[in-house]
Amino acid sequence: EGLVVESGGGVVQTGGSLKLSCATSGFHFDTYGIGWFRQAPGKEREILSCINTRHDFTWYADSAKGRFTVSSDNAKNTVHLQMNFLTPEDTADYFCAVERVPGMRCGRFRSMYDYWGQGTQVTVSS
């Protein structure tokens, strides 16, 4: 059975950076899209970015464009999310998930993903 584990969260000041990691096991890593999501207190979980490593495809939500970069380390079955210029509005729990059905791109909707990690908390102080 597949396993997904996020890491790299923490507390950072406004304008700072963090690099999150999503380690996976039990999957054909480059077959499925992997998505990054976040959920702030009292808000819906939103997708930030996704990556399909086999087809070298990435996608970003408007909230992530220009500040966040998704990448993969295929040798380690790990996907990263580099986050720059963080603001208090980025404070949330961050999750990654593996897409349910393999394809040539990656899904832009939460319902397309199974196998969620437990999340890692990011706090941006003002």
Side-chain angles (χ1 to χ4, degrees), residues 17 25 28 31 34 38-39 42 47 60 62 66 69 75 78 87 89 92 99 112 115 126:
S17 299
S25 61
H28 294 290
T31 301
I34 296 178
R38 70 182 177 188
Q39 187 166 15
I47 188 168
Y60 296 92
D62 288 344
T69 302
T78 298
T87 72
E89 288 68 35
E99 199 169 2
M112 302 173 76
Y115 300 105
S126 57

Side-chain angles (χ1 to χ4, degrees), residues 38-40 42-46 110:
R38 70 182 177 188
Q39 187 166 15
K43 294 189 177 180
E44 295 286 321
R45 189 170 299 188
E46 63 168 331
R110 178 181 174 180

Side-chain angles (χ1 to χ4, degrees), residues 20 35-50 59-65 67-68 81 83 87-97 107-111 113 116:
L20 306 182
W36 278 103
F37 299 75
R38 70 182 177 188
Q39 187 166 15
K43 294 189 177 180
E44 295 286 321
R45 189 170 299 188
E46 63 168 331
I47 188 168
L48 296 170
S49 179
C50 66
W59 173 84
Y60 296 92
D62 288 344
S63 56
K65 284 179 183 176
R67 297 190 303 132
F68 296 177
L81 186 68
M83 306 189 297
T87 72
E89 288 68 35
D90 295 311
T91 294
D93 291 324
Y94 284 70
F95 302 86
C96 65
R108 304 181 185 185
F109 303 98
R110 178 181 174 180
S111 60
Y113 290 83
W116 292 82

Side-chain angles (χ1 to χ4, degrees), residues 5-42:
V5 180
E6 304 93 338
S7 62
V11 180
V12 63
Q13 291 186 329
T14 295
S17 299
L18 280 174
K19 186 174 184 178
L20 306 182
S21 296
C22 173
T24 70
S25 61
F27 301 100
H28 294 290
F29 179 72
D30 66 345
T31 301
Y32 296 87
I34 296 178
W36 278 103
F37 299 75
R38 70 182 177 188
Q39 187 166 15

